[in-house]
Amino acid sequence: MNDTAPAWWTRAVVYQIYPRSFADATGDGVGDLAGIISRLDHLADLGVDVIWLSPVHESPGHDNGYDISNYRRIDAVFGTAEEFDELLRQVHRRGMKLIMDLVVNHTSDQHSAFVTSASARDNPSRDSYYWRDARPGFDPGEPGAEPNNWGSFFGGPAWSYHRPTGQYYLHLFTPQQPDLNWDSSRVRQSVYEMMNWWLDRGVDGFRMDVINFISKDPRLPDGLVEPGSAYGDGGPWFTNGPRIHEFLQEMRRSAFSHREGDFLTVGETPGATVEQALLYTDAARGELDMVFQFEHVQLDHEPGSKWEYRELDLRDLKTSWNRWQRGLADRGWNSLYLSNHDQPRQVSRVGDEGRYRYESATLWATLLHLQRGTPYIYQGEEIGMTSAGFTEIGQYRDIESLNFHRDALARGMPEADVLRALRRMSRDNARTPMQWDAGPHAGFSEAEPWISVNPNHAEINVEADRASERSIFRWYQRLIRMRHESPLIALGSCHLLHGDHPRLYAFERLLGQERLQVAANVSAEDLPLPPDLAPGRTLMDNYDDGGDPLVLRPWQVRVSAA
Ligand code: TEU
C-alpha cells in the first residue's frame, strides 16, 4: 500500500484451485486446465478477484506437483502450454487475475539442475544444492552419518546419501525434493529469470511455497532434540534465515520493479511471527504483499505434531487472530484463511459437518471475511465441503499421510489410532474431487478419479447448494460483495470484543464514523448475548427468521451496523 491509495488487493478475495481435484475435462480421472476453463463462470459468479493455481508444472508427482522438474513446462497430465495461455485469457476476460505457485525452496530430484549438480563432486554447479560429507566419525551411508540431525517434514532424516558421489544432500521434505542453495547467486538469478518468464507470459503474481525457508544458516548446525523425537529441530536454522530479507528484496527488484500493473505476491511462511510478518509485508521494505502465517492452524494439536490432537479453545484462536490483527493494523497485511490443500476442511475441523453444516460454514466464512486482510477461499469451501472421512489407508494418496501411517505403525501405534489421526488431519481431507453435482464422480470426471469422491456429494455439491434456500455459495457471494463495496471492511480497524468468552466470537470494525459488529456463537447451544452487543441494524444473519436479538442460536452469526 503506498501513501496515496490502498493497494487493490485490500479489496480482493483469492480462490485457490488444486488442479488435480478441481475439474477433469479429458476423462483420465485427474483434474486439468481444460476442466478449469470449463468452470471459470462458477468463480466469476462467486465474485472472486484472483485465482491461486497450485502447481501445474512438469513434475514426477511425489508431492502432487510440489516437486517441480521443469518450471517452464506444463505437465501433460494437466494439458498444454496453449491451454495454459487460453486459461489465462479466459481468466482475464472475466476480470480476474491468476497467480502461480512458486516452489523454489526445492526442486524435484529429476530437475536438470539437480541431475547436473549430482553428476560429480567437482561439477561447477555442485553448490546449487546442499551437499555435505558424512558426519565425522561415521562411515557414509550408515545410520547417524547424516551431516546434521534434522528431520524431514514428511518423516525420516532431512538428508539422503548419494552413493555415486559419496555425499549427502539436504531435503526438508521428501528425498525427491532437494533443497536449493539460495546462497548461490546462480540459483537466485535462475529463479528470477523463471519468474520473469511467467510474468512476461501474463501471470499476475505468485504464491511462494515455504518462502521463508530459502535462507539457511550456512553452518547447518544440529537442532534441539525434543524428548521422544528421533531428530533435531532444524527450524531455528532454516526458518526466517539470515539472508531472507535480502533475498526477498532482490527478488522483488528483479521480477517486479520494472513492471507496471497490479501484481500480487503472497508468501507461505510457516513459523513466522507477527514481528517477522511485519518485516515481510511492510510495503516500504519491498518484499511481499502478504503472508500465510500458521499460528492459528496449529492450535488444535500438540506443538511439533499435527497428528497429536488437542481440543481447540476458542479463546486461543481469538487471542491469536487478534494479535495478528493488531500487529499488522498500521503496516503490513494479513492473509485470512482456514482452508487450503494442506489443511483439513474447516467445516469439519472447527464447525459442524452434520446438523449445523450451513450455519457453521457461514459462521466461519463471516469470521474470516470480515476481518482486516485478504481472504482466501479454498475450492469447495464455498459450498461447505467436508473432510474426506476415509476409513482405510488404501484411500489415502498424500506422501505425508502414507509416511505417517508407515512410521507410526513402526513405532507401535495401533492402526485404529493412526487412522483416527489421519481422518482428522490428513491433507487428503482437502484433496478429494470438487463436488459439482450429485451425478457419478460428483461431476468432477467421467472416469474413476485419482482419489475417492466423498459419498456426501449426493447432498453436498454446487448444483444443490446454489438451488438451496440456504446456500453457502450465496453467503460467500454476499461477503465478497461487501468487501468490494465497503472501505470499512477493506480498511477499517478491527477490535476484538469479549475476548475471554469461551463460545462467543465478536469483533467490531471501525472507519471514521462507521462501525460494523460481528457476533458469532461458536457452539451448538444457545448463547445469551452480553447486553453491550445488542445488535443495531442487521446486515447479515445466518438465521434470518427473526429470533431473539439478545440470543445467538447454535452457530449463529449476525453482522450489524452501528
Ligand atoms: O507446505 C509447507 C508446509 O508448511 C507443509 O509442510 C505443512 O506444514 C504441512 O503440509 C502440514 O501438514 C508447502 C505446500 O503447501 C505443501 O503442499 C508442500 O507439500 C510443501 O510446501 C513442500 O513443497
Side-chain angles (χ1 to χ4, degrees):
M1 249 184 299
N2 56 41
D3 299 340
T4 52
W8 64 274
W9 32 258
T10 59
R11 297 180 302 284
V13 176
V14 184
Y15 187 97
Q16 181 193 358
I17 289 179
Y18 194 67
R20 222 164 272 272
S21 305
F22 189 67
D24 167 25
T26 61
D28 62 358
V30 179
D32 46 43
L33 297 176
I36 297 172
I37 292 171
S38 74
R39 295 289 186 180
L40 283 179
D41 287 340
H42 171 72
L43 304 185
D45 288 353
L46 185 58
V48 298
D49 306 278
V50 183
I51 294 169
W52 154 25
L53 183 61
S54 277
V56 291
H57 313 80
E58 201 164 82
S59 163
H62 290 285
D63 187 13
N64 282 3
Y66 283 90
D67 50 322
I68 294 175
S69 52
N70 189 317
Y71 286 90
R72 303 186 196 204
R73 199 175 293 163
I74 302 296
D75 195 288
V77 78
F78 295 120
T80 65
E82 292 70 30
E83 284 174 312
F84 179 83
D85 292 338
E86 177 61 13
L87 171 63
L88 212 43
R89 263 192 301 278
Q90 293 291 342
V91 167
H92 289 161
R93 193 166 66 81
R94 291 167 174 79
M96 296 187 285
K97 294 178 181 295
L98 184 139
I99 66 173
M100 299 285 281
D101 221 312
L102 184 76
V103 186
V104 290
N105 171 70
H106 48 271
T107 68
S108 161
D109 63 343
Q110 295 176 38
H111 190 285
S112 58
F114 183 74
V115 172
T116 304
S117 174
S119 63
R121 291 174 80 127
D122 60 358
N123 183 281
S125 65
R126 185 74 167 179
D127 70 342
S128 294
Y129 295 83
Y130 289 95
W131 292 96
R132 293 293 186 279
D133 291 332
R135 184 186 290 269
F138 285 79
D139 294 332
E142 72 168 320
E146 290 80 12
N148 68 28
N149 64 2
W150 299 358
S152 152
F153 279 95
F154 295 157
W159 296 86
S160 285
Y161 183 54
H162 183 253
R163 193 167 301 283
T165 57
Q167 284 193 310
Y168 289 80
Y169 66 89
L170 177 68
H171 51 82
L172 296 182
F173 295 95
T174 68
Q176 292 78 21
Q177 294 169 286
D179 280 56
L180 282 166
N181 170 19
W182 271 73
D183 286 322
S184 154
S185 58
R186 174 194 325 108
V187 165
R188 301 200 305 275
Q189 290 315 315
S190 61
V191 168
Y192 305 153
E193 283 164 21
M194 177 267 290
M195 292 175 71
N196 276 298
W197 188 83
W198 281 106
L199 292 166
D200 291 346
R201 200 160 175 182
V203 304
D204 301 292
F206 299 99
R207 174 267 187 185
M208 301 183 186
D209 193 62
V210 290
I211 201 64
N212 65 326
F213 289 178
I214 61 175
S215 169
K216 295 163 172 85
D217 183 318
R219 298 168 299 155
L220 304 178
D222 276 343
L224 200 63
V225 180
E226 294 294 333
S229 171
Y231 299 100
D233 175 14
W237 309 111
F238 62 74
T239 309
N240 310 310
R243 300 181 66 184
I244 185 62
H245 298 296
E246 172 199 340
F247 293 162
L248 290 175
Q249 291 170 19
E250 182 184 63
M251 174 190 279
R252 193 171 190 102
R253 281 196 307 276
S254 306
F256 293 98
S257 59
H258 56 289
R259 296 179 184 276
E260 292 295 318
D262 292 335
F263 298 99
L264 172 62
T265 57
V266 51
E268 184 199 32
T269 53
T273 62
V274 170
E275 293 68 31
Q276 286 151 346
L278 197 51
L279 296 176
Y280 289 135
T281 63
D282 180 349
R285 294 172 54 86
E287 295 185 16
L288 299 169
D289 295 323
M290 57 190 82
V291 296
F292 289 126
Q293 55 99 2
F294 278 62
E295 205 177 273
H296 61 297
V297 291
Q298 293 174 340
L299 295 173
D300 62 351
H301 55 73
E302 295 305 324
S305 173
K306 63 184 274 187
W307 307 112
E308 293 176 53
Y309 176 66
R310 178 176 68 183
E311 182 82 26
L312 173 68
D313 184 327
L314 181 68
R315 288 164 295 194
D316 292 345
L317 178 62
K318 294 196 284 185
T319 301
S320 173
W321 272 353
N322 188 47
R323 176 167 51 250
W324 281 86
Q325 286 293 316
R326 293 169 64 86
L328 302 186
D330 305 319
R331 283 177 301 128
W333 195 253
N334 272 297
S335 301
L336 307 169
Y337 79 96
L338 275 169
S339 292
N340 60 39
H341 64 293
D342 291 334
Q343 301 296 334
R345 288 196 174 270
Q346 62 201 50
V347 76
S348 303
R349 185 180 196 174
V350 290
D352 176 327
E353 62 179 37
R355 176 179 176 193
Y356 295 108
R357 187 176 64 85
Y358 168 81
E359 290 80 359
S360 64
T362 50
L363 176 145
W364 283 109
T366 307
L367 288 177
L368 271 177
H369 281 248
L370 296 191
Q371 290 185 64
R372 178 184 168 93
T374 297
Y376 284 73
I377 300 170
Y378 177 63
Q379 67 183 46
E381 178 189 332
E382 75 276 20
I383 59 166
M385 273 177 67
T386 66
S387 283
F390 289 162
T391 55
E392 53 192 59
I393 193 61
Q395 294 173 287
Y396 288 94
R397 296 291 177 273
D398 177 26
I399 187 69
E400 181 192 47
S401 297
L402 297 173
N403 286 356
F404 166 65
H405 178 264
R406 176 200 64 202
D407 297 343
L409 292 187
R411 290 196 301 270
M413 190 171 176
E415 183 167 34
D417 295 349
V418 176
L419 291 172
R420 185 178 308 110
L422 286 171
R423 196 158 48 250
R424 187 186 294 279
M425 291 302 284
S426 167
R427 302 190 302 179
D428 279 332
N429 280 309
R431 301 179 179 186
T432 59
M434 181 72 182
Q435 297 168 193
W436 295 105
D437 59 42
H441 311 310
F444 161 75
S445 172
E446 290 180 0
E448 184 63 35
W450 67 281
I451 188 171
S452 305
V453 173
N454 193 316
N456 68 19
H457 78 273
E459 299 81 35
I460 301 173
N461 60 71
V462 170
E463 200 170 83
D465 182 274
R466 292 190 68 167
S468 165
E469 280 298 303
R470 298 176 349 128
S471 163
I472 299 166
F473 178 88
R474 279 199 301 280
W475 188 270
Y476 272 84
Q477 279 181 315
R478 292 176 62 190
L479 290 171
I480 295 168
R481 200 161 41 242
M482 279 178 84
R483 175 169 293 274
H484 287 165
E485 294 168 358
S486 162
L488 166 61
I489 289 170
L491 301 170
S493 58
C494 188
H495 307 274
L496 181 65
L497 306 170
H498 295 276
D500 56 355
H501 195 297
R503 294 189 295 135
L504 171 69
Y505 201 138
F507 58 85
E508 63 183 0
R509 300 292 310 274
L510 303 174
L511 184 69
Q513 299 310 308
E514 267 196 283
R515 178 182 182 273
L516 180 121
Q517 176 180 293
V518 178
N521 171 8
V522 187
S523 81
E525 288 79 37
D526 283 358
L527 187 155
L529 261 187
D532 62 302
L533 296 186
R537 179 166 53 87
T538 297
L539 302 175
M540 293 181 81
D541 186 335
N542 62 357
Y543 271 77
D544 53 358
D545 59 0
D548 180 345
L550 285 181
V551 173
L552 287 176
R553 278 170 285 170
W555 303 99
Q556 181 169 13
V557 62
R558 194 184 288 132
V559 182
S560 53

